[in-house]
Structure formats: C-alpha cells, structure tokens
Amino acid sequence: MANDAALPVTDDSLREEVRAWLAANWTGPLQSEAERKAWVAKVIEARWAVPRWPTEWMGRGLSDAQARVVEREFAAVGAPGTGQDRTNLWANTLLAGGTQALKEKLIVPLLRGDVGMCLLYSEPGAGSDLAGVRTRADRQGDHFVVNGQKVWTSYAAAADYGMLIARTDWDVPKHRGISFFFLPMEQPGVEVHPLRQITGESQFNEVFFTDAVCPAENLLGELGQGWGVLQTALAYERSAMGEGARGPRSGVSEGPGEPLIALAREAGVLSDPLIRQEIARVIALKKLNALNTARAKADLKQGTASALMSLGKLAMSRILHEEARVRTLILGAGSVLEGPDHPRAEDANFLTLNAYFTSIGGGTDQIQRNIIGERVLGLPKEPEVDRDIPFREVRTS
Amino acid sequence: MVSLPIEERLAFQGSMLRLLAERSTEADVRRVMETDAGYDPDVWKALAEIGAVGLLVDPEYGGAGAGPLELELVMEAVGAALLCSPLLTSGVLAAGLLQALGDAEANARLLPGIADGSRIATAALTGSAGTWTPDGVAVRARADGEAWGLEGQASFVTHGQIADVLLVAAVEADGISVFEVDPTAGGVAVKPLPVFDHTLRLAQISFEAAPARLVGKQHAGWNAVEEALGLARVALAGEQAGGGRRVLEFTVDYAKNRIQFGRSIGSYQAIKHMAADLLVESESATSAARHAAAQLAAGAPDAKSAVELAAFACADAFVKICADAIQMHGGIAFTWNHPAHLYLRRARADAQLFGAPAFHRERYVAELEAAHG
C-alpha cells in the first residue's frame, strides 16, 4: 500500500514516489475515451486521484501543499486524473455529507466518471431566493417521496442521479427545513422536458417529480440541514467553474488580433471615430477584468483574501452585454439578419441574447451587487421579512 | 527603467503615508488651496527629505533613482490625501523630461536642485488647444546665432506661477525642440489661470522674443516629451486610483452610518448597488495603474498600450466615483464643507491633464491595431 500512516511523508519522498509511479505507468497521450477511462481507474487504484482525502476513501490524507506536489508532477508529464479532491463536485459533496452506504456505492464510480449527474436546485418560484424551494420530500418508511418541479437542469436526461434540495419541514424558517438528496433519476416519477432558451438552443431542462422515490440512505447530512450541505456543494461548483463565457458561435473567424477591430475593419467602419471609442471601451473592460483577476490570484498566493474575487462575474456580464452592443453598432442595419449567410449578424444577435446567461445565471447581477455590498464592503442587509417565520407562512407570488 | 528592492519600496511608501497623514489632512488641503502659491513650502521640504521629490532622479544628481513602480505607489497616496504640491510637475514631468532629453550639462545644472526641492521646474508642452500633441504646440523658436528666442503662448502649464525653471516645447523649422527658459527673463509673461480644482495651479505663459536655451538635441524634443508624459500619465493614473479608493471608502462608511427610515442607507439596494459598481471601478483603476507602472518599469512591448489604458480607465473611474459619491451622500455632500467636491474637482482636472480620456482611447485602439498588423 502507498504509505503507512505512521511514516510522515516528506515533500521529497512524495515527489520521488509520484515520479516513480508515473515513470512506470504513464505511457503518453491518451488516444480514446476507453484509454482515458482505464487510465483514470489506474490513478484511483494507486490513490493519486484524491490525495487530500482520507485513506479509507482512496486518498492519502495529504495536506493541500503536498497534494499540489502530486498535481505538479502529473502536470509535468501531461497526465490527467489527479486533483479530483478539488474539482469533482459530486464526489466531494458525497464524501462531505453522504451516508456510509451511499459512499460505498457511489464514491468510486463517481471518481471514475461512470455516474451521470445533474443539479436539482432552482425552481420556477425559487431563483434568486433559492432557500424558498417548494419541492417537497416526505418520509415514508425507508424512503422519501418527492413532488415538485426543478428548472435550469443541464444533462438531466442522461443523469443517473440528481443532487436535489427539497423541503422536508414546513413549520420552521426557510433555511432550516431543507434537506439534500442524491435522487435516482431513472424512475417513473421523474420527467425531463427540454427547455428552449431565447437563443433557440436547448441546454437546459425542466424536471418534474410526481411521487418520485428516494431511498433514505441517499440523504446527505442531517434531515433539515440541507442548506449547509448545499453551501459546501456551491463552493466546489464555483471553484470548478472558473472564468469564461461562450464566444461567437458562427465559427467564421474575423481574422487575427482583437475581434472587434477585425470586425470593424471588415465592415469598413474602423476609421469611424465614434466606433473606435466604443471599441476601446469594450477592449478596456476585458483587459481590466483580466488584470483584476490576475491581481486577485497574486493576493491569494500571498495569503490575503481579496475583494477582487467577487467582482469578476459582475464585470464579465457588463463586458458581454457591451461587446454585443458594440458588435451591433459596427454592423448597423446588417444586424437585423440571421442565418448561415450572415455569420456576423448571427454572432452579434447570439451574443446579445446569450449575455443574459451570465447576467442572470449563477446569481443575477443584482444579487451579485448585494453580495459585494454586504460581504465585501460590509454594508448591512435589507430586513428579511421571511427569515424567522415558519416557511408555510411565507408569502408567495 | 529601474526599480527599488521591495523592502525599500515598502519602507518608502510607509514614510510617505505617515507624512501625508500628518501634514496633508483635509484641513491642510483647505488651508493650502486658498494660498497663492498653492503648496506648503514646509511640507515640500519634508517631501524632498524623504526622497519623494527626487524619486525618479538619477542618484548621480542626488535623487533616489527609482522608477514607475515606486512612482505609482507614491501617487496613490498623494491622490488619497489630495496633496497640494508641485510633485507631479517638478519631480515627475520636468525631471522626467530632462532625463529623457539626456543633456548632461543641463542635467548637472538643474536636476540636483529639482531633486532636493530647492528648485521647482515645470514643462510647458501645449497651447490653449490643450491637446498635448505636437500640433498643439503654439510656441515657435527662432535661432539668433548661438542664442534662441521664443514667441507664442503655452497654456495649462502646471504650477507655472511658482516655477523657477520652464522647459518649453517649441516648433522650429524642422520639428519640435525643448528649451529652458527663465520665467523672470524679459519677454516672458506668466498669467495664473482660474482653475476649477483649487488644489491645482495652472498658468498661461506668453513669450515675446524670450531668451531660451536649447536642451538636448534639436528636433528630438517630442520623443522626449512623450517619454516624460508617459511617466506623468502613470503618476496621474496612480493619483486617480488612490483618490477614487479613498472617496469610495468614506462614502461606504457614510452609507453604513447614515440612518434614514430607521436603518442605514447602505442597507438599501439603491445605495448598495451603486457602491458595488464603484468597487469594480475602483479596483479596475488600481489594476490599470499598477499594470501600466509595471509594464513601463519592465520596458515591456505593450507598455505604451498599458499606459494609454490606465490613462483613460483611471480618469473615467475617478470622475465616476466622485460624481456618484456626491449623489450617494445626498445633501451633506452638496455643501462646501464636505470634502467630496474637492475630490470631484481634482478628478475633473486630472481627467484633462496630459490628454483627455477620448484622446487616450483613440491612441489605445491605434496601439492595438499596430500590435496586430
């Protein structure tokens, strides 16, 4: 076995061990999905997939700094598969809150990527106010019966399990009556309907529950403590999500350099002083956000928490809306067209609509401003009229 | 460009912050801004003693030999304290111009006095058009044997009324050269301009057959001016970032403590959301100013575009923060006795000095076009 708990691991001995293992096992780039799966299984078996985790769950109980040593060695040879103790949202959430039975059943399959998962959080009546969920889970013997509706669920059709928050107690204030489940998705009580977005695409689904069944062992954390489990899950989700939004979708390149400059040149308006001013504003917003992100990372390295971390998403949604606006300005009347013969208009129009993906999804701009105002600047919260009353008395739309 | 070791940089920043906390309080600013000179000679001496005035000057001439990184940090503190002084004028613009011109004789004669604060120098670089471009220069130079004479007018000359030495950009036959002029000489008339920002001094200077001495090589003047303006723009960006941050701080404090309808006004989203947006502005300005300083210090290929970006981003951010801060305060900030308007005045002046935001945006796009062919 990899290491005895009695022997402390030094960075040097660890580095040597990883190197030796990689030298013996890594044979270069993976050519197929089957090869990738086989490699990941091998990494799990050798306890490199989740080195920060306890030894009983395929880990090594390493410190974060030591786990980074492992990650650096994997990265040096270009081998994937380690660091799942940072990035695997599903497995980390399960490890943190799952029952022994559920962990034994799903931890390794989740690490291997053999289990399809989805998120069952938002509801039509609980978006910004996520703690206002009304999907209910009622205990009946050895299982819970689930009724209600979720929305904005990606990959729901292919999922084996959904991470579900549902109300299990209606007589306590809203944050205290929520429980967290791994709900089996393949059952008659679960119906998935694709949702068509304003862009015309369908990435998301609505999920309807009619007497869906969830085994009691699939409850994570204590009954009624689901809001705390959710916070752990959201933290993993945010750290894994990273930066970035989608760019133009036409796939027809504007050429090298700054896309807006190339677009204006192609449209014959690059010499227009007004357009040049607008282009400068948008490119500057992007550059400033990148500089802020770089400064936030530098602060993190020095161990100081940075106000900058929370600003990125708000800044990004402004960038996306502004870029779409300036693309439209550059195209002028041409922006009213669409279709494959008009890729520039297609891009401008898609970006105009898809900018809302960032300014609404993952917490609206307005919620982000509340978070920045309250958690970063220390401004007081608005009075919450629904905070300390039983959930069944809370007013709804 | 050079940089000091980090410990020296932080120690220097510390002594600067202490000096400003003690000697550039709001009361000091209000007292000094009403004087004719517009600066406090004792504080100026103290600034020279800690090395702030000669920060950029080569040690050979008695300066600290520091670079853009140190300059930017100092100016963040200057902006936050709304310091009234010719630091940017003499220590940055004029010293930077002399060093860019590289005239050994002029440097040896002028830089030691600039570094120790005993001599205040300024640069007259633009006419009443205020463009800070070669075609904005409205002074002409005429050779008279070995000697030179200047004709015309320079405007928006920072601290022109207190300067001991003028460095004047002037057009002669084939280009622009820089000349040293004694402001007390015959043919030189210095007229103070009435300025909206009372913490700043500007002058209009007229030349009529004014005796002048060529500094550096003939016709190489504008390149040196651009180099000095680059430093001045980084300094100004730092001042704007530091000033904006201070205004946001006291505005957020006020929003926490001001109670209306039984709760802090900062609990209302109408105010909270403005504050959150201003934090984006403030942090972006800080990032932009520090990035410009770092790229200039490193002589990076994108140093020019980084300076242009900082110039307009910091200018716009400072103005927006100050303007919104007054609105967020409500009536109290509409009074003369509240400091918010002093910062707005500085922000509006800073946004025009050495080129307006639209000018820098245009140059930014031009730089990016050039970089990508």
Side-chain angles (χ1 to χ4, degrees):
Chain A
M1 203 27 64
N3 66 297
D4 280 318
L7 293 173
V9 185
T10 67
D11 284 7
D12 287 340
S13 69
L14 177 66
R15 193 176 292 111
E16 274 171 36
E17 190 186 345
V18 189
R19 276 186 192 171
W21 186 84
L22 285 168
N25 292 282
W26 176 246
T27 52
L30 303 165
Q31 306 294 346
S32 65
E33 181 61 17
E35 274 186 39
R36 196 195 63 80
K37 286 213 148 185
W39 169 253
V40 170
K42 212 172 200 178
V43 174
I44 296 165
E45 192 61 27
R47 296 177 175 269
W48 296 123
V50 283
R52 293 170 183 82
W53 280 15
T55 47
E56 67 174 304
W57 296 110
M58 310 309 291
R60 291 168 176 257
L62 296 188
S63 68
D64 184 62
Q66 288 176 319
R68 300 269 171 189
V69 171
V70 177
E71 288 175 23
R72 271 196 294 275
E73 293 305 320
F74 269 68
V77 300
T82 189
Q84 288 206 52
D85 41 12
R86 284 190 299 112
T87 58
N88 191 321
L89 158 67
W90 323 105
N92 280 294
T93 306
L94 178 59
L95 182 81
T99 59
Q100 185 73 14
L102 194 64
K103 285 196 273 199
E104 278 166 10
K105 185 171 171 191
L106 288 180
I107 283 274
V108 172
L110 281 170
L111 292 177
R112 295 168 68 117
D114 288 344
V115 188
M117 295 291 301
C118 65
L119 297 173
L120 302 168
Y121 297 164
S122 296
E123 296 180 8
S128 294
D129 179 16
L130 191 57
V133 289
R134 289 179 169 268
T135 290
R136 59 186 308 142
D138 299 300
R139 179 91 190 217
Q140 280 184 18
D142 63 353
H143 63 273
F144 288 83
V145 176
V146 180
N147 282 284
Q149 184 194 344
K150 294 290 174 178
V151 72
W152 307 122
T153 305
S154 310
Y155 311 112
D160 300 304
Y161 291 88
M163 296 211 302
L164 168 75
I165 53 170
R167 191 157 304 280
T168 47
D169 189 344
W170 298 70
D171 295 314
V172 294
K174 63 178 182 177
H175 293 94
R176 285 186 252 149
I178 295 169
S179 300
F180 196 107
F181 301 92
F182 264 49
L183 177 77
M185 292 289 284
E186 303 219 10
Q187 57 170 311
V190 176
E191 262 183 89
V192 175
H193 295 171
L195 196 69
R196 192 169 182 212
Q197 296 146 230
I198 52 176
T199 57
E201 299 171 314
S202 290
Q203 290 168 289
F204 299 109
N205 301 280
E206 296 176 289
V207 182
F208 296 86
F209 311 110
T210 312
D211 293 333
V213 173
C214 186
E217 67 179 40
N218 289 22
L219 172 70
L220 273 70
E222 299 294 313
L223 196 67
Q225 303 295 312
W227 189 251
V229 182
L230 176 70
Q231 298 314 307
T232 309
L234 288 175
Y236 279 110
E237 190 180 348
R238 285 193 198 107
S239 74
M241 235 166 41
E243 302 286 300
R246 294 166 65 204
R249 71 170 166 187
S250 74
V252 184
S253 166
E254 289 104 352
E258 287 289 344
L260 285 179
I261 292 178
L263 182 66
R265 183 180 289 129
E266 183 187 273
V269 294
L270 185 54
S271 59
D272 182 327
L274 181 130
I275 298 246
R276 294 173 70 84
Q277 290 286 311
E278 297 286 0
I279 288 173
R281 282 180 209 277
V282 174
I283 297 175
L285 288 176
K286 286 187 184 179
K287 180 75 183 173
L288 292 171
N289 194 36
L291 290 174
N292 282 343
T293 304
R295 200 151 62 82
K297 284 185 182 154
D299 285 357
L300 274 184
K301 266 191 205 143
Q302 291 166 20
T304 54
S306 174
L308 291 159
M309 290 300 279
S310 40
L311 300 180
K313 181 170 181 293
L314 185 59
M316 182 55 75
S317 84
R318 178 173 166 201
I319 289 166
L320 295 169
H321 282 284
E322 282 295 288
E323 171 165 4
R325 184 181 65 79
V326 172
R327 279 177 178 263
T328 306
L329 184 73
I330 290 169
L331 295 177
S335 68
V336 304
L337 304 174
E338 70 172 15
D341 292 341
H342 307 284
R344 304 296 177 242
E346 187 84 355
D347 287 343
N349 292 325
F350 170 73
L351 291 171
T352 298
L353 297 173
N354 205 52
Y356 293 98
F357 178 88
T358 297
S359 63
I360 295 175
T364 64
D365 284 359
Q366 286 63 39
I367 291 292
Q368 293 301 325
R369 290 188 180 97
N370 281 352
I371 292 171
I372 293 164
E374 289 158 17
R375 298 193 200 154
V376 181
L377 296 173
L379 294 167
K381 289 173 86 93
E382 298 258 7
E384 292 164 279
V385 296
D386 62 349
R387 190 161 185 101
D388 294 318
I389 58 173
F391 187 74
R392 64 170 78 250
E393 292 169 23
V394 171
R395 199 176 143 197
T396 58
S397 311
Chain B
M1 306 241 177
V2 282
S3 301
L4 299 180
I6 183 82
E7 304 78 29
E8 273 183 58
R9 188 184 307 159
L10 293 176
F12 178 74
Q13 188 191 18
S15 48
M16 188 70 188
L17 289 171
R18 272 191 303 280
L19 175 64
L20 292 172
E22 285 166 18
R23 321 246 341 232
S24 183
T25 63
E26 185 189 337
D28 292 322
V29 170
R30 286 179 183 276
R31 174 177 51 79
V32 175
M33 76 181 194
E34 300 302 340
T35 62
D36 284 340
Y39 78 110
D40 181 333
D42 290 337
V43 173
W44 181 246
K45 224 173 273 170
L47 284 166
E49 275 159 20
I50 67 166
V53 179
L55 188 71
L56 297 178
V57 175
D58 195 294
E60 185 186 346
Y61 303 116
L69 286 173
E70 293 77 19
L71 173 65
E72 194 277 338
L73 277 183
V74 164
M75 293 305 291
E76 284 188 28
V78 163
L82 215 52
L83 175 70
C84 305
S85 91
L87 184 60
L88 176 61
T89 295
S90 192
V92 181
L93 189 58
L97 181 54
L98 279 171
Q99 296 194 136
L101 288 162
D103 182 322
E105 183 278 326
N107 285 350
R109 191 158 44 76
L110 298 174
L111 283 173
I114 292 175
D116 71 17
S118 60
R119 177 184 279 124
I120 293 173
T122 189
L125 306 176
T126 195
S128 54
T131 58
W132 282 274
T133 52
D135 60 6
V137 175
V139 180
R140 285 167 312 285
R142 251 184 234 113
D144 184 6
E146 281 292 280
W148 291 86
L150 301 188
E151 298 281 340
Q153 203 175 64
S155 198
F156 308 106
V157 182
T158 58
H159 296 95
Q161 48 271 70
I162 57 166
D164 307 302
V165 178
L166 307 177
L167 299 171
V168 184
V171 184
E172 30 103 19
D174 306 309
I176 289 175
S177 303
V178 175
F179 297 87
E180 175 192 345
V181 174
D182 174 359
T184 63
V188 181
V190 179
K191 187 180 109 186
L193 291 169
V195 179
F196 176 68
D197 171 15
H198 297 193
T199 69
L200 175 71
R201 293 293 175 273
L202 294 176
Q204 191 179 62
I205 305 181
S206 304
F207 305 93
E208 268 187 52
R213 192 195 298 217
L214 179 69
V215 185
K217 290 201 184 75
Q218 230 174 308
H219 311 149
W222 197 260
N223 286 339
V225 167
E226 275 293 342
E227 201 176 308
L229 282 174
L231 279 169
R233 284 166 183 148
V234 167
L236 206 55
E239 172 168 311
Q240 290 159 332
R245 201 157 58 233
R246 172 66 59 86
V247 172
L248 179 58
E249 274 165 20
F250 72 63
T251 303
V252 168
D253 277 347
Y254 184 77
K256 286 177 189 170
N257 295 319
R258 167 75 172 174
I259 308 291
Q260 290 286 272
F261 304 101
R263 54 183 168 117
S264 345
I265 60 169
S267 69
Y268 295 102
Q269 294 183 345
I271 297 296
K272 186 179 291 170
H273 289 192
M274 289 176 86
D277 286 335
L278 293 188
L279 183 63
V280 177
E281 295 293 329
S282 173
E283 292 294 342
S284 298
T286 302
S287 293
R290 292 182 185 173
H291 177 67
Q295 300 308 89
L296 197 59
D302 69 342
K304 272 172 96 173
S305 75
V307 172
E308 298 300 339
L309 171 64
F312 70 83
C314 297
D316 287 341
F318 193 19
V319 170
K320 175 160 179 62
I321 291 167
C322 293
D324 282 3
I326 293 178
Q327 185 65 31
M328 290 162 76
H329 276 84
I332 188 69
F334 193 63
T335 67
W336 187 267
N337 286 340
H338 193 277
H341 76 105
L342 301 181
Y343 283 92
L344 178 62
R345 286 165 189 270
R346 174 72 68 92
R348 286 173 55 84
D350 281 357
Q352 300 301 326
L353 281 187
F354 317 135
F359 167 75
H360 292 296
R361 273 193 289 276
E362 171 53 43
R363 299 221 311 185
Y364 182 56
V365 172
E367 277 294 322
L368 294 175
E369 272 184 89
H372 298 295

